[in-house]
Amino acid sequence: MPTVPLRTAALAALPTVPQRVLFASAVALSALVLVVPFPGSLSVVATRWLVAVSAGVPGVGLLSEVALVALAAGVTAAIVLSWRRQPAARVRVVALVVSVGIAYAASESIKLLVTELRPCQRWPLAEECAPLGDWSFPSNHATLAFAAAAVIAVLSRRFAVMVAAFGCAALVAFDRVAQGAHYLHDVAAGAVLGLGMVVVALVCAALVLRRRPSARQRDRDAST
């Protein structure tokens, strides 16, 4: 009885092109249900539930501001310490600082393109709400919070500090949804944007540092 080679059997087990298309379509539809704020989508349902649960809880609306202040203080401390202790890595510090500003600018630009209404502008969920024209997607607070947390994590390299930083960032995102200022997908997109800009900054800084000659090499060239 002829046997099927192991490699042939493994290839046969791989999904065919139609199966891949169906799988990609299913993933795209799932993402659509999560992201697009139509009635019944997961993001909308989760946002309304969280706002309803948080209604009347004292301190909602202040947590995000307090957490952002803590992150700003942490970023400042991390930058100052890294600037003093690691002179050779100052290019990376500058790149990280610039990445936070670029992330915020990108967030504002995307808001103007998407022009998504906030939950509190669609439904009477909160007593206070931003005026029309102050759009929802993505969340500036989440963008800044997760970018700042990533900067702190990169510069400190201490596990406890990383946990505290990202805990504050998650608290910012949670509080913005709880007060009806953003949908769940708004803060998720802001987190991805903030983290992504920091990653891009690290890559750019690494390329610059790789192309710069070391101090020993400069001394050697000067002596010759």
Side-chain angles (χ1 to χ4, degrees), residues 35-36 39 96 103 108 112 116 119 145 147 179 199 216:
V35 172
V36 177
L96 290 173
E108 284 290 343
L112 296 177
E116 177 190 74
Q179 60 184 286
V199 171
R216 183 177 300 177

Side-chain angles (χ1 to χ4, degrees), residues 40-205:
S41 70
L42 179 59
S43 180
V44 172
V45 171
T47 299
R48 297 202 71 160
W49 175 82
L50 186 57
V51 171
V53 170
S54 304
V57 176
V60 173
L62 294 177
L63 291 177
S64 57
E65 305 303 327
V66 173
L68 270 182
V69 171
L71 286 170
V75 167
T76 303
I79 289 172
V80 171
L81 291 176
S82 297
W83 190 269
R84 291 179 177 178
R85 296 176 180 177
Q86 302 176 9
R90 287 178 178 176
V91 171
R92 184 177 62 175
V93 175
V94 172
L96 290 173
V97 173
V98 172
S99 71
V100 177
I102 294 177
Y104 178 80
S107 176
E108 284 290 343
S109 300
I110 295 172
K111 281 178 179 288
L112 296 177
L113 293 175
V114 178
T115 64
E116 177 190 74
L117 291 175
R118 295 176 182 269
C120 57
Q121 293 169 342
R122 292 177 181 269
W123 320 309
L125 297 177
E127 296 180 1
E128 297 182 3
C129 189
L132 292 176
D134 189 353
W135 308 112
S136 186
F137 181 90
S139 167
N140 284 341
H141 280 70
T143 300
L144 289 174
F146 278 90
V151 170
I152 294 172
V154 169
L155 295 180
S156 68
R157 297 183 180 181
R158 295 181 179 179
F159 181 74
V161 176
M162 295 179 187
V163 171
F166 281 105
C168 285
L171 184 60
V172 170
F174 169 83
D175 192 58
R176 295 298 287 172
V177 176
Q179 60 184 286
H182 286 289
Y183 293 103
L184 185 63
H185 64 268
D186 295 337
V187 296
V192 171
L193 179 60
L195 294 174
M197 287 300 177
V198 171
V199 171
V200 171
L202 288 174
V203 172
C204 293

Side-chain angles (χ1 to χ4, degrees), residues 4-17 19-20:
V4 179
L6 182 61
R7 184 176 180 181
T8 303
L11 290 175
L14 293 175
T16 61
V17 173
Q19 290 175 332
R20 293 175 184 175

